């Protein structure tokens, strides 16, 4: 019997994971990728012995990775060498206070009590709440499909959302535990992983802090891209074919089905099923017939973007740990500037990743590989953002701020710089508005209200990635790959089954 053919548009982590699952179930799978290698925004740049992760730098929620690998018959430990990072972060406040987040409770107690008397017991209560949010949200929201309103808007789910504090703002809610603004900031900034304003995010996101301190923050030797390399190797083992450096121009449709794709050189590839791992708003806007969805998606809220400076440095700076967060004096103003003004504040918050602290292979001996990331507003319609000027302002601010750590000669030791602005994310990865996180994650863009994993009209066209359910982040996108693959195997093997009879998790 001839194998069914699945086409995957985009070789991000969700596309690769979906391809493996389908190949293991007898599909012939072809992945078409615009860029010269796999990974999407989880990618890498190498120059002169320096190795830079250009996307995520934190390996979080390890159990979701382990589960994803186990479900394809692999052990992640056999493919990726994971290094535990502890302390997880060094947080530098504008008043020169430093907080090192660690799993060592005695060290945390000493630090927290120095900042606010009685805060350690409150910290334990806060982690307990985060654990509760995590254990309830993961199986009931993140790992469940929601294609119909009646699957999401149940009495059970509405009660759950109230328990998860989904209607409360995280920054306000954390005042129940801490009075000192520095501690409020230290345990809400992780909302930025979702591209959400930490001051406006739902309080349910306290689950992020719990996972970091309970499951740890890890670093894969060789960088986050080593996870992509591992999955590509497994995909090849199962016969998945990759076509790189090739743009998809169009998805062909007939009636209620997608029949194949058209490549930039005019070639047409036919398929029984198609998975789009490209940016979802881009797919609706550029690859499919106009049905009004692209306009509706464009009107939704998008997560922030990032201005990234990659510095190859011919000297090591031991003052910096693997993960360093510098908090602006006016924390709210710095984030309001990027989420409301689509720019960067005069005194912004920023992050520095120094991977050679834990993996010397990331830089030449005696040198440093530094990745500096500024959360920044996504592209505006009027194209009013002056990116060369903003980049210069951010460069100057980093150098000035680091002088307070005793790093006074960094500028003269920078061998080269590579900068990635929102225009880079838009042009290289087709990310709408240059949003590095895709659609935002406020309450009205989660669960059933987030774009679904299957096209409403074209019943064999599916979506994985940051802007579809359940959302952004590598481990979360792995969940979307599982949801989509399982649904394809049900629907394609029994196409006569109606949508209403597809089993839904309890």
């Amino acid at each position: 019997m001839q194998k069914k053919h699945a086409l995957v548009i985009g070789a991000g982590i969700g596309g690769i994971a979906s391809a493996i699952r389908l190949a293991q179930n007898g599909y012939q799978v072809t992945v078409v990728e615009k860029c010269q290698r796999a990974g999407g925004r989880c990618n890498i740049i190498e120059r002169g012995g320096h190795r830079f992760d250009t996307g995520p730098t934190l390996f979080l929620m390890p159990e979701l990775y382990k589960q994803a690998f186990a479900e394809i018959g692999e052990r992640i430990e056999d493919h990726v060498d994971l290094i535990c990072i502890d302390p997880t972060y060094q947080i530098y406040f504008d008043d020169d206070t430093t907080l090192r987040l660690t799993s060592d409770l005695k060290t945390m107690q000493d630090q927290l009590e120095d900042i606010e008397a009685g805060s350690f017991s409150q910290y334990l209560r806060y982690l307990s709440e985060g654990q509760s949010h995590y254990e309830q949200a993961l199986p009931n929201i993140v790992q469940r499909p929601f294609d119909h309103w009646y699957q999401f808007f149940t009495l059970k789910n509405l009660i759950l959302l109230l328990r998860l504090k989904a209607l409360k703002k995280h920054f306000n809610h954390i005042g129940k535990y801490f009075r000192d603004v520095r501690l409020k900031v230290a345990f809400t900034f992780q909302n930025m992983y979702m591209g959400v304003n930490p001051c406006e995010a739902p309080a349910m996101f306290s689950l992020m802090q719990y996972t970091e301190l309970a499951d740890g923050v890890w670093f894969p030797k060789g960088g986050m891209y080593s996870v992509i390399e591992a999955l590509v190797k497994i995909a090849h083992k199962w016969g998945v074919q990759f076509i790189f450096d090739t743009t998809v121009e169009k998805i062909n449709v007939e009636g209620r089905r997608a029949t194949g794709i058209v490549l930039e050189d005019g070639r047409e590839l036919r398929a029984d099923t198609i998975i789009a791992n490209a940016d979802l708003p881009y797919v609706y806007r550029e690859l499919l017939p106009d049905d009004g969805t692209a306009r509706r998606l464009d009107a939704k809220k998008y997560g922030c973007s990032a201005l990234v400076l990659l510095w190859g440095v011919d000297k090591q700076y031991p003052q910096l740990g693997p993960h360093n967060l510098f908090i602006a004096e006016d924390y709210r103003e710095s984030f309001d500037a990027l989420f409301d003004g689509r720019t960067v504040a005069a005194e912004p918050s920023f992050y520095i990743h120094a991977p050679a602290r834990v993996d010397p292979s990331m830089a030449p001996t005696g040198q440093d590989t530094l990745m500096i990331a500024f959360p920044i507003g996504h592209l505006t319609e009027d194209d009013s953002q002056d990116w060369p000027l903003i980049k210069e302002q951010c460069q100057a601010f980093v150098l000035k701020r680091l002088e307070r750590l005793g790093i006074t000669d960094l500028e003269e030791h920078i061998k080269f710089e590579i900068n990635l602005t929102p225009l880079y994310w838009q042009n290289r990865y087709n990310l709408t508005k240059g949003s590095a996180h895709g659609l935002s994650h406020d309450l009205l863009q989660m669960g059933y209200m987030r774009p679904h994993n299957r096209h409403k009209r074209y019943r064999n066209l599916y979506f994985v990635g940051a802007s579809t359910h359940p959302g952004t982040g590598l481990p979360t996108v792995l969940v979307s790959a599982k949801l989509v693959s399982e649904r394809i195997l049900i629907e394609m093997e029994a196409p006569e089954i109606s949508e209403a009879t597809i089993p839904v998790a309890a």
Side-chain angles (χ1 to χ4, degrees):
M1 183 181 295
Q2 186 175 3
K3 287 186 174 182
K4 290 183 177 178
H5 187 205
L7 281 169
V8 180
I9 303 171
I13 194 170
I16 304 168
S18 300
I20 294 170
R21 288 174 179 270
L22 293 184
Q24 289 180 330
N25 283 276
Y27 277 75
Q28 174 191 346
V29 185
T30 303
V31 181
V32 182
E33 168 56 45
K34 172 191 175 185
C35 298
Q36 295 177 340
R37 59 183 169 195
R41 67 200 83 174
C42 179
N43 227 293
I44 201 155
I45 291 176
E46 298 177 277
R47 179 181 294 184
H50 296 270
R51 188 175 168 98
F52 301 91
D53 278 317
T54 60
T57 58
L58 299 162
F59 187 97
L60 303 173
M61 299 183 178
E63 75 283 358
L64 291 185
Y65 287 95
K66 290 178 181 179
Q67 180 181 342
F69 273 76
E71 288 169 350
I72 58 175
E74 303 284 345
R75 295 175 67 251
I76 191 170
E77 297 86 352
D78 295 335
H79 297 274
V80 181
D81 185 3
L82 293 173
I83 304 167
C84 185
I85 309 297
D86 197 355
T88 55
Y89 303 93
Q90 296 182 153
I91 304 178
Y92 299 92
F93 298 100
D94 192 68
D95 65 355
D96 293 326
T97 303
T98 301
L99 177 63
R100 289 174 172 81
L101 299 187
T102 173
S103 60
D104 184 321
L105 291 181
K106 181 62 172 66
T107 301
M108 282 298 294
Q109 181 177 16
D110 292 342
Q111 293 184 97
L112 293 176
E113 293 294 330
D114 282 345
I115 295 175
E116 179 183 322
S119 61
F120 180 67
S121 62
Q122 295 294 81
Y123 167 72
L124 296 179
R125 289 182 58 229
Y126 179 67
L127 287 186
S128 178
E129 179 184 81
Q131 179 180 6
S132 175
H133 288 177
Y134 180 80
E135 292 175 348
Q136 294 181 80
L138 197 67
N140 294 300
I141 295 179
V142 176
Q143 295 177 318
R144 283 186 60 186
F146 295 108
D147 295 304
H148 303 282
W149 66 266
Y150 53 78
Q151 295 171 343
F152 187 74
F153 294 106
T154 64
L155 178 60
K156 179 181 177 181
N157 268 8
L158 293 176
I159 293 173
L160 174 63
L161 290 173
L162 292 175
R163 287 176 179 167
L164 294 175
K165 314 291 192 304
L167 299 178
K168 295 184 177 181
K169 292 182 179 180
H170 195 182
F171 197 82
N172 294 341
H173 176 68
I174 204 171
K176 172 183 175 182
Y177 298 97
F178 309 109
R179 298 185 306 276
D180 193 289
V181 70
R182 291 168 295 181
L183 298 185
K184 293 180 181 181
V185 170
F187 300 116
T188 57
F189 78 85
Q190 294 89 343
N191 298 329
M192 290 298 300
Y193 303 161
M194 311 292 285
V196 182
N197 187 337
C199 299
E200 301 296 327
M204 65 184 289
F205 285 175
S206 64
L207 62 87
M208 299 295 296
Q209 292 75 36
Y210 165 74
T211 60
E212 287 185 349
L213 292 159
D215 298 329
V217 173
W218 301 77
F219 183 76
K221 190 172 182 180
M224 288 295 294
Y225 194 71
S226 62
V227 178
I228 301 298
E229 292 172 323
L231 288 171
V232 169
K233 182 179 178 181
I234 295 168
H236 281 306
K237 183 176 76 172
W238 285 97
V240 175
Q241 295 183 329
F242 289 85
I243 302 174
F244 291 110
D245 203 17
T246 301
T247 299
V248 175
E249 294 287 344
K250 178 184 178 183
I251 296 174
N252 286 331
V253 296
E254 290 181 9
R256 297 179 67 84
R257 295 183 63 79
T259 59
I261 60 176
V262 179
L263 306 182
E264 60 184 341
D265 60 8
R267 283 183 294 161
E268 295 190 20
L269 303 179
R270 295 188 64 82
D272 297 288
T273 189
I274 297 175
I275 299 175
N277 184 213
D279 182 58
L280 183 137
Y282 172 84
V283 173
Y284 275 101
R285 185 177 66 252
E286 301 293 340
L287 304 185
L288 288 169
D290 184 11
D291 63 356
T293 303
R295 290 189 295 276
R296 290 192 292 273
L297 288 173
D298 189 64
K300 289 183 177 292
K301 291 183 180 180
Y302 283 76
C304 66
S305 190
L307 170 65
V308 178
L309 308 176
L310 306 177
W311 289 350
V313 182
D314 65 9
K315 177 181 176 179
Q316 286 189 341
Y317 291 93
Q319 298 96 320
L320 296 172
H323 302 293
N324 310 270
L325 189 69
F326 294 83
I327 301 297
E329 180 180 11
D330 192 335
Y331 180 69
R332 282 183 176 272
E333 192 277 333
S334 71
F335 285 108
D336 287 345
L338 71 97
F339 284 100
D340 298 334
R342 310 296 179 210
T343 184
V344 65
E347 294 189 4
S349 299
F350 64 96
Y351 160 80
I352 297 181
H353 182 220
R357 281 312 157 275
V358 292
D359 182 2
S361 71
M362 299 295 285
T365 303
Q367 301 188 30
D368 248 341
T369 293
L370 301 181
M371 180 259 222
I372 302 97
F374 287 84
I376 201 161
H378 61 63
L379 297 173
T380 57
E381 293 182 4
D382 60 8
D383 196 29
S384 61
Q385 295 141 313
D386 187 339
W387 295 114
L389 176 61
I390 292 173
K391 182 198 70 172
E392 290 178 8
Q393 292 172 338
C394 289
Q395 289 170 330
F397 188 80
V398 171
L399 294 171
K400 181 180 179 181
R401 181 65 181 86
L402 290 180
E403 288 179 356
R404 290 161 59 180
L405 299 186
I407 300 175
T408 58
D409 61 348
L410 177 55
E411 186 171 16
E412 61 194 71
H413 288 281
I414 298 173
K415 299 191 296 181
F416 63 85
E417 175 187 281
I418 302 169
N419 60 80
L420 314 176
T421 72
L423 290 171
Y424 171 87
W425 308 117
Q426 180 187 62
N427 296 335
R428 184 167 180 82
Y429 301 117
N430 295 327
L431 300 184
T432 301
K433 303 185 181 183
S435 170
H437 302 272
L439 290 175
S440 185
H441 290 75
D442 62 15
L443 183 59
L444 297 180
Q445 293 183 179
M446 290 191 291
Y448 171 74
M449 296 168 286
R450 197 165 185 83
H452 301 166
N453 297 111
R454 190 182 72 166
H455 196 282
K456 186 176 182 179
R457 176 177 177 82
Y458 309 119
R459 318 298 265 180
N460 62 333
L461 174 58
Y462 302 84
F463 305 102
V464 297
S467 288
T468 188
H469 177 70
T472 193
L474 296 184
T476 313
V477 172
L478 285 173
V479 172
S480 76
K482 176 183 179 179
L483 295 175
V484 163
S485 303
E486 289 179 343
R487 183 163 186 173
I488 289 173
L489 295 175
I490 292 172
E491 295 177 350
M492 296 300 290
E493 294 304 321
E496 71 280 1
I497 296 178
S498 71
E499 216 176 60
T501 61
I502 295 171
V504 177

